[in-house]
Amino acid sequence: MTQGAGQEPVVRTATLRDFRVPPYAQTPVPPQTAGAVPHPSLPPRAPEPHAPTPYASVPPPAAAPPQLPHPGNVAVGDEPPEGYTPTERDLPVINRGDTVQVQAVPEPRPVTGEGLGPLFVVGDVHGYLDELVAALAEQGLIDADANWAAGNARLWFLGDFTDRGPDGIGVIDLVMRLSAEAAAAGGYCKALMGNHELLLIGAKRFSDTPVNSGAGTATFQAAWLLNGGQKSDMDRLQDVHLQWMSRLDAVVEEDGHLLMHSDTTAYLDYGSTIEDVNDTVHAILTRNDADECWDLFRKLTKRFAFRDEGGAEAVRELMTTYGGQRVVHGHSPIPYLLGEVGTEDGENGSGPVVNGPHVYADGLAIAMDGGVTMAGKLLVVQLPLHD
């Protein structure tokens, strides 16, 4: 269950490899160190200026579904599920006939000229820097030295840069640098806030301060550890990273695509326009109130609002309020939506099969979390999809 201040985190044994509680979870997190260590796959370079750019994951329990505005918003009433560690048991799967994975075929993209170029989106990265570099290079967005190479193209990250994988801070450093390089080339690289950004911010700011969860004592630090928080990320976390994460937007609309991290309607609680939602989220983080930040984190960990009966209706409500013709999100791994979770540690040579984005909810929703933390695929695709 969720651990309170002064309690030892419980190691969950039924989880997939990358979702286990790390061994250091039972030791205090050491204080922050002064500098960050560059990732070996990226060449060293001097710090570059960057502009603030525009936004983690809690499983639903196996208990009976709660009474919520939309049946997909799985949670225990208005409170967070206990444990916070996704498992094959806790994340129910579906295998419906009206869902499809789309193999994205990139269209020719301009790298020079006036105006803005094609639009790309990136699913949950979770610290897998090498996989991210490879996926961006495959799409021609960066060169062999991991520098921006896409001219006036537009690139949106859907959040969840850290936790579970080996180098979350390296991922953030890369995205920050690419933001400056893309802007200089006439394009842009921007990012949305995921629930793991909220979790890392909370763990750093509030540590083991008890928060009002309504389901017993909870702390950000315990939740962060149980969600795959990495000691190396906390050691290297600097003020510049915290400031960058705190300024990320939660929702944007691009070319008729409503981009957000979580597949939930909880965004409606924070405003009736995209601007209102983003302003409200920024204001909450600025006020620095632990309980208020916890409530925001809790709501943005809800998932599965767009699947099953009522899913398309939930998507339409979001688009009626905020605009767009399709919702594009991360957060809920495609392997769980498809029922292709695979075996722990890839035993028997099997694993999740992810060929591309997952289109569902009457074709109105696109899932982009390819399940890289469970040997799936880190997705970088061009929009619109042609299915």
Side-chain angles (χ1 to χ4, degrees):
M1 63 173 61
T2 304
Q3 303 302 308
Q7 294 178 291
E8 298 285 15
V10 176
V11 177
R12 300 279 296 273
T13 58
T15 59
L16 296 170
R17 178 191 61 221
D18 292 296
F19 285 164
R20 285 176 176 160
V21 177
Y24 58 82
Q26 301 185 34
T27 62
V29 177
Q32 169 184 333
T33 56
V37 179
H39 191 276
S41 69
L42 299 179
R45 53 177 55 82
E48 301 182 45
H50 61 276
T53 54
Y55 151 22
S57 69
V58 181
Q67 298 300 316
L68 293 172
H70 297 287
N73 283 346
V74 181
V76 181
D78 285 333
E79 302 308 326
E82 295 182 351
Y84 293 101
T85 306
T87 64
E88 183 172 353
R89 180 196 65 212
D90 293 334
L91 285 178
V93 298
I94 59 173
N95 194 2
R96 294 175 48 176
D98 63 347
T99 60
V100 62
Q101 277 187 269
V102 177
Q103 184 67 45
V105 179
E107 296 178 345
R109 50 185 180 273
V111 296
T112 59
E114 297 181 357
L116 293 173
L119 174 65
F120 293 82
V121 290
V122 184
D124 300 37
V125 182
H126 281 302
Y128 284 84
L129 178 58
D130 290 340
E131 288 80 355
L132 174 60
V133 169
L136 292 173
E138 183 179 0
Q139 290 285 2
L141 295 167
I142 60 174
D143 60 23
D145 295 320
N147 296 313
W148 181 259
N152 62 355
R154 296 167 290 163
L155 178 63
W156 274 100
F157 286 80
L158 299 181
D160 278 10
F161 302 101
T162 67
D163 302 338
R164 300 191 179 119
D167 195 1
I169 299 302
V171 170
I172 291 176
D173 284 337
L174 175 63
V175 177
M176 290 170 63
R177 177 171 59 78
L178 290 178
S179 297
E181 294 176 357
Y188 58 73
C189 169
K190 299 182 180 182
L192 294 178
M193 182 175 292
N195 58 307
H196 279 270
E197 281 67 68
L198 293 169
L199 190 56
L200 183 57
I201 292 170
K204 180 63 177 178
R205 287 184 180 178
F206 308 115
S207 187
D208 59 358
T209 300
V211 294
N212 181 20
S213 72
T217 303
T219 73
F220 268 106
Q221 180 168 306
W224 173 70
L225 290 171
L226 288 168
N227 276 279
Q230 299 294 301
K231 175 180 178 293
S232 58
D233 285 345
M234 187 63 74
D235 287 346
R236 295 163 55 200
L237 185 63
Q238 301 179 49
D239 286 344
V240 65
H241 301 126
L242 290 168
Q243 292 168 4
W244 182 80
M245 288 189 292
S246 298
R247 294 167 179 166
L248 297 178
D249 282 341
V251 185
V252 298
E253 190 273 333
E254 289 277 359
D255 295 353
H257 298 91
L258 189 61
L259 308 182
M260 57 183 59
H261 174 70
S262 304
D263 46 327
T264 178
T265 59
Y267 295 95
L268 296 168
D269 294 344
Y270 294 98
S272 58
T273 68
I274 289 175
E275 183 178 9
D276 287 344
V277 173
N278 294 329
D279 286 348
T280 301
V281 170
H282 295 156
I284 289 172
L285 293 175
T286 299
R287 285 193 291 271
N288 209 34
D289 179 273
D291 288 332
E292 196 174 22
C293 289
W294 179 266
D295 188 61
L296 175 63
F297 160 69
R298 174 183 63 83
K299 287 182 178 178
L300 293 192
T301 57
K302 293 182 179 180
R303 62 169 82 246
F304 298 144
F306 311 146
R307 69 173 206 183
D308 300 334
E309 185 178 357
E313 179 185 350
V315 177
R316 290 189 182 96
E317 181 177 1
L318 284 167
M319 294 190 301
T320 297
T321 303
Y322 302 129
Q325 287 80 52
R326 260 183 170 177
V327 166
V328 183
H329 69 85
H331 191 48
S332 290
I334 292 171
Y336 284 117
L337 295 174
L338 293 176
E340 298 171 347
V341 177
T343 59
E344 188 173 321
D345 294 322
E347 296 170 0
N348 303 322
S350 64
V353 178
V354 176
N355 297 315
H358 179 51
V359 181
Y360 66 118
D362 293 346
L364 297 175
I366 301 175
M368 282 290 300
D369 183 354
V372 66
T373 63
M374 57 183 76
K377 185 177 183 180
L378 200 163
L379 296 177
V380 179
V381 303
Q382 183 177 344
L383 297 177
L385 295 180
H386 300 287
D387 49 83

